[in-house]
Amino acid sequence: MHTRWTLDRAFSLNFVTGLVSLGVLLVGAVALWQWHRRVGRDEVATAAPTVIGEFHPVAEGVSEFRLRENIRPGQIGTVADESVDPIDVTATILDLAVRGFLRIEQLQVPGGMDWTFTRLNDDASSLRKYERILLDAVAPTDGSPVLVSQIQQAVGPCVSDLQHALYDDVVESGWFAKRPDASRTDSRTIGAALLIVGLIATGLLAWLTTWGLVGLAVVTVGVGALFIAGEMPRRSAKGAALLAGLHGFSAVLAQQSTEVMPPGKELREISKFLPYAVVLGGKERWVNAMVAADRDTTPDPDAISWFHAPEDWHLQQLPQSLDALIASIQGHLFAR
């Protein structure tokens, strides 16, 4: 006797098919939980939170910023969200400028603003590999100028190398056991494989039997694997301690009074941690504190050692200048 194929029959729901499908879902859920626990959950920090920097009192009501660990903003951003983002690259450019490797110069051009970079230090031996790649791109040793509006042509070809170098750096520093991007790729590959197997199984079971629901259960497990793949990068115990320290450092930057900087040295002191505030948040209040340090009406084109501007530029224009610079770097560098 010939049995006619129907959708209801292929995905028949009865006690047996329902029980087996539920069993597949439960086993898959437990497997995904164990997988995430083993591969995606950070190790438990065995040390106290890593202190990145602190405001050290030097007089009554006066503090200086001191970096406790030689950890750069690009590394912090990568450890914080397990990804090399445009803001990490932008903060690294600012950090290189603050540390004296290059100077950012604002230009007045028809229709708005542009910026260029001047290399100040040819000795890049103290820099990490990703920093050297970026420095050589934005401020070549041959002195050829790179405009922010044209930064895609200069830096775009090495963005991939830069990202790879920064991922390698956070592994070499001991914050991850495996590169976060590689962990995500491996996890997504497994999830995609489970999804494909589930789709094939669903098709075959629905075509040949009445057990199509079991195939759908496998598909659901595959979708779940893809969903949690982005959570798979696993920080080491050292990385977990750094992450805990970042939360504390971010809180310090957000809550520390902006009026404790040494008088006459506000621009220099705030510059030390400004790239970190770009990554962790709180930049605006500290930039405003730099503006407040300007107590006269004369132009300030070179008041900041690492940022020069046209002759009629005032510190009051710094918030707009920095916001435009950051937006322009990210917009041009990562435009596709």
Side-chain angles (χ1 to χ4, degrees):
M1 179 178 177
H2 177 71
T3 302
R4 184 179 178 183
W5 186 93
T6 65
L7 191 62
D8 288 342
R9 181 179 182 277
F11 294 93
S12 177
L13 176 60
N14 53 50
F15 178 78
V16 177
T17 59
L19 185 63
V20 173
S21 298
L22 181 61
V24 171
L25 287 174
L26 289 176
V27 171
V30 171
L32 291 179
W33 179 75
Q34 290 283 5
W35 183 33
H36 181 268
R37 184 181 179 86
R38 183 175 61 85
V39 180
R41 181 179 295 183
D42 292 347
E43 294 182 22
V44 177
T46 56
T50 303
V51 179
I52 309 301
E54 60 186 2
F55 291 91
H56 185 76
V58 293
E60 182 68 28
V62 179
S63 296
E64 291 182 349
F65 178 76
R66 295 181 181 178
L67 199 65
R68 286 271 299 272
E69 295 287 342
N70 187 26
I71 301 174
R72 311 317 315 173
Q75 296 172 310
I76 282 178
T78 304
V79 172
D81 62 9
E82 305 163 345
S83 178
V84 178
D85 298 323
I87 195 63
D88 302 333
V89 178
T90 304
T92 298
I93 292 176
L94 296 178
D95 187 48
L96 289 171
V98 170
R99 291 157 63 194
F101 288 94
L102 58 86
R103 183 171 59 241
I104 302 169
E105 299 185 24
Q106 181 173 309
L107 309 174
Q108 197 65 42
V109 298
M113 294 179 287
D114 206 342
W115 299 262
T116 188
F117 307 99
T118 299
R119 191 170 185 133
L120 302 179
N121 189 345
D122 288 332
D123 182 11
S125 59
S126 63
L127 296 179
R128 294 169 171 85
K129 182 178 179 179
Y130 75 91
E131 293 177 314
R132 292 196 298 270
I133 292 173
L134 186 56
L135 178 62
D136 289 342
V138 300
T141 54
D142 63 7
S144 56
V146 174
L147 295 173
V148 169
S149 60
Q150 301 171 348
I151 200 171
Q152 170 60 235
Q153 294 93 312
V155 184
C158 68
V159 165
S160 179
D161 292 339
L162 169 64
Q163 291 173 319
H164 285 306
L166 187 43
Y167 280 128
D168 287 338
D169 184 272
V170 296
V171 174
E172 292 167 3
S173 298
W175 296 315
F176 290 92
K178 185 177 182 179
R179 283 176 44 151
D181 59 331
S183 294
R184 283 189 293 271
T185 298
D186 292 347
S187 300
R188 286 170 181 148
T189 299
I190 294 173
L194 283 172
L195 180 59
I196 292 171
V197 169
L199 290 172
I200 293 173
T202 300
L204 291 175
L205 290 172
W207 179 34
L208 301 174
T209 72
T210 62
W211 293 73
L213 285 177
V214 177
L216 288 180
V218 179
V219 169
T220 302
V221 174
V223 171
L226 285 174
F227 181 76
I228 67 171
E231 304 295 324
M232 283 307 178
R234 175 184 175 92
R235 297 179 187 87
S236 64
K238 183 179 179 181
L242 175 58
L243 183 64
L246 294 185
H247 293 319
F249 189 31
S250 178
V252 167
L253 292 178
Q255 298 171 11
Q256 175 69 45
S257 171
T258 60
E259 299 178 356
V260 299
M261 297 292 99
K265 300 179 181 179
E266 296 94 339
L267 301 182
R268 185 191 68 187
E269 288 300 313
I270 295 174
S271 292
K272 291 179 183 178
F273 57 85
L274 187 61
Y276 296 90
V278 169
V279 172
L280 296 174
K283 167 182 71 71
E284 290 76 13
R285 63 194 300 267
W286 291 108
V287 173
N288 289 334
M290 296 175 78
V291 171
D294 184 21
R295 301 177 178 87
D296 57 52
T297 59
T298 59
D300 312 287
D302 56 1
I304 303 174
S305 62
W306 54 272
F307 183 91
H308 287 185
E311 291 298 322
D312 59 348
W313 186 86
H314 292 261
L315 266 176
Q316 283 76 12
Q317 299 171 264
L318 182 61
Q320 296 88 346
S321 291
L322 279 183
D323 285 346
L325 171 64
I326 292 170
S328 187
I329 290 175
Q330 296 182 81
H332 286 100
L333 182 54
F334 292 89
R336 292 291 185 265

